[in-house]
Amino acid sequence: MIHTQIAAVISSALKGLLSEHEVLQLLETPKQEQHGDVAFPCFTLAKHFRKSPAIIADELKVEVTSDLILKAEVAGGYVNFFVNQDKATEQILTSVLAEQDSYGSQPIKDEKIVIDYSSPNIAKPFSMGHLRSTVIGQSLAYLSEKNGYEVIRINYIGDWGTQFGKLITAYRMWGDEALIKKEPIKELLELYVRFHEQAKSDDSLNDDARAAFKALEEGNQEAKALWSWFREESLKEFETYYDLLGIQFDSNMGEAFYNDKMQPVVQELEQKNLLTVSDGAYVVELENLPPCLITKKDGATLYATRDLTAALYRQQTFKPVKTFYVVGHEQTLHFQQVFHVLKKMGHEWAESLEHIGFGMMLVDGSKMSTRQGKVVLLADVLAEAIKTAERNMGEKYDNQIDKRSVATQIGVGAVIFNDLKNLRTHDLDFSLEQMLSFEGNTGPYVQYTHARISSILEKGDYHEEPSTPYPLGATAWPAVKLLDQFPAIVQKSYEQADPSMVAKYSLQLARAFNKYYAHSKILGEDEGLQTRLAFSHAVSLVLKESLRLLGIAAPERM
């Protein structure tokens, strides 16, 4: 709001040389309070006016006037604007309190975005390695909706491919039906790991696995029955984690769904003369990229075949304006190839496909590996997080709440926030101690701030009724400015597909309010009480919405 209004008066003073939007992109927030609230750099104007930025700034300072601007100063080619805090505060609080949960939302666009995320492999445990795609994708879905889009959430389950030939082979050789019925995922993981250990010295196992998968593709009844069993047991277990994380999908159609839809795609590639034979396999040659493998020598399909088919199906079914693939950086080349093949097929909408890559979750500095049995299970981490939250609440928790329920919200929130506060492109070293820390830059700190405000509002008997504005004082101003920045943060976080912006913002806002709380008697019985409570309520609304955009609950009591 502040930036938008100042951008308008600068654009007017420049007589349209720069549009309001162009000015808005140039505006900065000074790092130090003594340099004002908003800064406009004049360097881009030097060529047009043929003057130094400092001279342009001096001249512009006189032209830019508004009842929102208290004063303007020039410093090194910048015009630094100091805002009328009382007037700006009234405008910002009025906007937040009027819009409530909708504050920061963009207009509905009547356009769809498909987001492909989480996508664990069946017959394998849900490890911490799957957490990143799951929580980044979920947050990106919320951010897309906040920016006006309808979102189709797709859990593209890994339920097809040669790994199932390996699992079927392992079950036939060493499987125990009773044990698998008792602990399906644990036993299936052990079979999978055992297969890879044995295959190191017996390569014939890999031949058996390829034959088993080929039989599965061709509809072999025994292979299909085993595959269905493995899939059903896996989905049951996955659902328990999704319930804890508060995640629901619009579609769980995995790779197997496209098994009978791939042949027309291969035929289309052939009809368009895009297929060539390489060592008996069919590939599509690509410019500046390795060839994209479509079918193996034995005719078996691959990830690329299924992803091409899935992309075509989704475009025809949902007609999205964008499709996001939230998958680790290690698949960058794969998606470059798939997108390039679609473009060669003549599908212009392939330009709207985007790979949202992210760094790996590392254990002792190396990647998790199901084959080697080197995994950290999400179930264990969530259980420990909830237990830690319950222990930290101790005997001092509010007895009006369900302790276990709130501990679950805090523990799960701590795990999600620990991931999302980091830039998604960075690798993360798994640290249970850091993940479960409830002090510092953590989700529980933001949740606790929200709960503290809820308690203040209850004690102050706050009712959302208009009251005569009263000056809040300088200690509230940093938090008020942050409230003003929320819509821009929401938009930028979506545009850069980076939930960490919202996470870091929520920490800043929580710190700013707690600093205000430490220096102000909010519940003091004077004429400014209702304004202080209204301000506190505005902060709680934005904190709660920030947490929601990260997929985290905001308890009212802790």
Side-chain angles (χ1 to χ4, degrees):
M1 184 182 298
I2 294 173
H3 282 65
T4 303
Q5 290 185 43
I6 290 178
V9 292
I10 291 175
S11 178
S12 176
L14 292 172
K15 298 189 171 41
L17 176 63
L18 295 177
S19 68
E20 290 182 26
H21 178 73
E22 288 171 324
V23 174
L24 194 58
Q25 299 305 305
L26 292 171
L27 292 181
E28 300 175 14
T29 300
K31 292 181 180 179
Q32 298 179 336
E33 289 183 19
Q34 62 266 34
H35 293 156
D37 301 303
V38 181
F40 176 69
C42 297
F43 306 100
T44 56
L45 302 173
K47 186 175 181 181
H48 176 82
F49 289 114
R50 298 187 179 182
K51 298 176 182 177
S52 74
I55 293 173
I56 296 170
D58 264 323
E59 294 173 350
L60 187 61
K61 180 185 83 168
V62 180
E63 296 293 325
V64 179
T65 58
S66 161
D67 57 357
L68 183 68
I69 298 170
L70 199 61
K71 64 175 180 175
E73 295 179 350
V74 173
Y78 281 84
V79 183
N80 293 331
F81 298 97
F82 293 78
V83 170
N84 182 323
Q85 294 182 9
D86 292 342
K87 187 172 187 60
T89 296
E90 183 183 348
Q91 288 184 9
I92 293 162
L93 294 189
T94 298
S95 181
V96 177
L97 295 172
E99 297 179 40
Q100 300 273 313
D101 296 343
S102 297
Y103 181 62
S105 298
Q106 295 293 317
I108 301 297
K109 296 177 173 60
D110 194 29
E111 293 176 334
K112 295 177 184 175
I113 291 179
V114 165
I115 306 183
D116 175 332
Y117 64 107
S118 193
S119 310
N121 291 324
I122 68 167
K124 294 182 185 178
F126 205 111
S127 76
M128 286 300 295
H130 297 107
L131 180 71
R132 300 220 70 196
S133 171
T134 305
V135 298
I136 292 169
Q138 182 72 356
S139 182
L140 186 54
Y142 286 132
L143 285 165
S144 299
E145 288 172 336
K146 189 77 172 172
N147 278 274
Y149 297 95
E150 179 185 346
V151 175
I152 310 297
R153 295 165 166 83
I154 293 181
N155 192 13
Y156 187 51
I157 298 289
D159 59 0
W160 208 247
T162 53
Q163 70 266 34
F164 297 104
K166 295 174 183 178
L167 196 58
I168 290 169
T169 300
Y171 176 76
R172 286 170 177 165
M173 296 184 69
W174 312 298
D176 184 317
E177 184 177 353
L179 286 176
I180 290 175
K181 283 184 176 179
K182 186 179 178 182
E183 293 185 283
I185 303 302
K186 176 178 176 291
E187 292 300 323
L188 290 173
L189 173 62
E190 289 182 3
L191 286 175
Y192 190 73
V193 171
R194 184 173 180 181
F195 176 92
H196 282 279
E197 289 175 348
Q198 296 288 336
K200 290 176 184 176
S201 56
D202 184 1
D203 192 53
S204 67
L205 286 175
N206 288 315
D207 294 331
D208 293 341
R210 281 188 284 270
F213 177 58
K214 190 73 165 58
L216 178 61
E217 280 200 304
E218 292 170 351
N220 176 275
Q221 289 303 307
E222 185 219 0
K224 197 170 180 181
L226 286 173
W227 171 83
S228 296
W229 179 33
F230 299 158
R231 187 180 193 276
E232 184 180 337
E233 293 297 339
S234 298
L235 290 177
K236 284 180 191 174
E237 183 156 324
F238 294 160
E239 205 55 47
T240 62
Y241 309 135
Y242 291 136
D243 285 346
L244 264 179
L245 294 168
I247 291 175
Q248 291 183 327
F249 293 97
D250 299 299
S251 166
N252 282 301
M253 292 186 299
E255 297 178 57
F257 176 78
Y258 300 99
N259 188 41
D260 61 353
K261 300 172 180 61
M262 288 184 282
Q263 200 52 43
V265 178
V266 176
Q267 289 171 353
E268 182 181 345
L269 288 167
E270 192 171 16
Q271 289 166 1
K272 292 180 176 177
N273 297 317
L274 295 174
L275 287 182
T276 58
V277 179
S278 176
D279 293 330
Y282 280 108
V283 304
V284 175
E285 298 288 347
L286 302 172
E287 297 77 29
N288 304 315
L289 288 171
C292 183
L293 192 56
I294 303 299
T295 61
K296 296 181 182 178
K297 292 180 184 180
D298 61 3
T301 57
L302 295 105
Y303 287 122
T305 329
R306 291 187 283 280
D307 278 353
L308 287 168
T309 307
L312 288 159
Y313 177 88
R314 292 168 183 174
Q315 193 65 31
Q316 292 163 1
T317 304
F318 304 116
K319 298 178 175 56
V321 293
K322 292 180 185 177
T323 298
F324 297 139
Y325 295 83
V326 187
V327 185
H329 279 318
E330 62 270 24
Q331 294 297 321
T332 297
L333 175 60
H334 166 77
F335 285 109
Q336 287 175 339
Q337 291 174 309
V338 169
F339 298 166
H340 202 147
V341 170
L342 288 166
K343 290 172 189 174
K344 290 195 76 167
M345 292 171 77
H347 300 297
E348 294 180 5
W349 50 262
E351 293 289 348
S352 70
L353 308 180
E354 187 176 350
H355 173 214
I356 309 296
F358 55 84
M360 292 184 289
M361 182 80 75
L362 306 176
V363 177
D364 299 327
S366 60
K367 182 183 177 182
M368 294 185 191
S369 171
T370 309
R371 294 182 182 183
Q372 299 171 21
K374 185 180 179 182
V375 293
V376 177
L377 300 183
L378 177 63
D380 294 341
V381 174
L382 291 177
E384 187 61 33
I386 294 166
K387 189 191 302 179
T388 301
E390 201 164 6
R391 188 168 57 246
N392 285 352
M393 290 169 72
E395 299 300 322
K396 297 179 181 180
Y397 71 97
D398 187 327
N399 59 15
Q400 296 182 55
I401 65 174
D402 177 346
K403 184 177 180 181
R404 179 67 181 181
S405 174
V406 173
T408 299
Q409 292 178 336
I410 297 169
V412 172
V415 173
I416 295 174
F417 196 92
N418 183 73
D419 189 301
L420 294 182
K421 73 180 182 182
N422 295 283
L423 196 64
R424 66 171 168 82
T425 53
H426 290 177
D427 290 341
L428 295 183
D429 276 304
F430 175 78
S431 166
L432 192 61
E433 182 181 357
Q434 183 180 3
M435 189 170 287
L436 302 186
S437 171
F438 289 78
E439 297 178 0
N441 299 331
T442 68
Y445 173 76
V446 180
Q447 288 175 313
Y448 179 73
T449 304
H450 176 268
R452 166 181 273 173
I453 297 173
S454 297
S455 176
I456 291 169
L457 296 175
E458 186 176 354
K459 289 176 182 175
D461 194 26
Y462 173 69
H463 301 288
E464 297 180 40
E465 298 172 356
S467 60
T468 304
Y470 192 85
L472 281 168
T475 53
W477 182 236
V480 172
K481 284 198 293 184
L482 284 167
L483 291 176
D484 186 47
Q485 293 170 22
F486 182 64
I489 291 290
V490 168
Q491 186 173 358
K492 194 173 180 182
S493 188
Y494 160 75
E495 290 171 351
Q496 298 188 17
D498 183 13
S500 74
M501 291 182 180
V502 174
K504 290 168 184 170
Y505 168 85
S506 70
L507 286 168
Q508 285 181 299
L509 182 57
R511 284 195 211 100
F513 178 82
N514 285 325
K515 190 173 181 180
Y516 167 77
Y517 175 80
H519 293 90
S520 305
K521 192 176 180 182
I522 297 176
L523 295 175
E525 291 294 336
D526 59 64
E527 56 186 328
L529 173 62
Q530 287 306 311
T531 299
R532 293 193 296 272
L533 290 176
F535 162 62
S536 301
H537 182 49
V539 172
S540 73
L541 286 169
V542 174
L543 284 178
K544 183 177 182 179
E545 184 64 1
S546 297
L547 288 169
R548 187 191 72 81
L549 292 172
L550 299 172
I552 298 172
E556 293 192 358
R557 291 186 172 93
M558 285 174 66

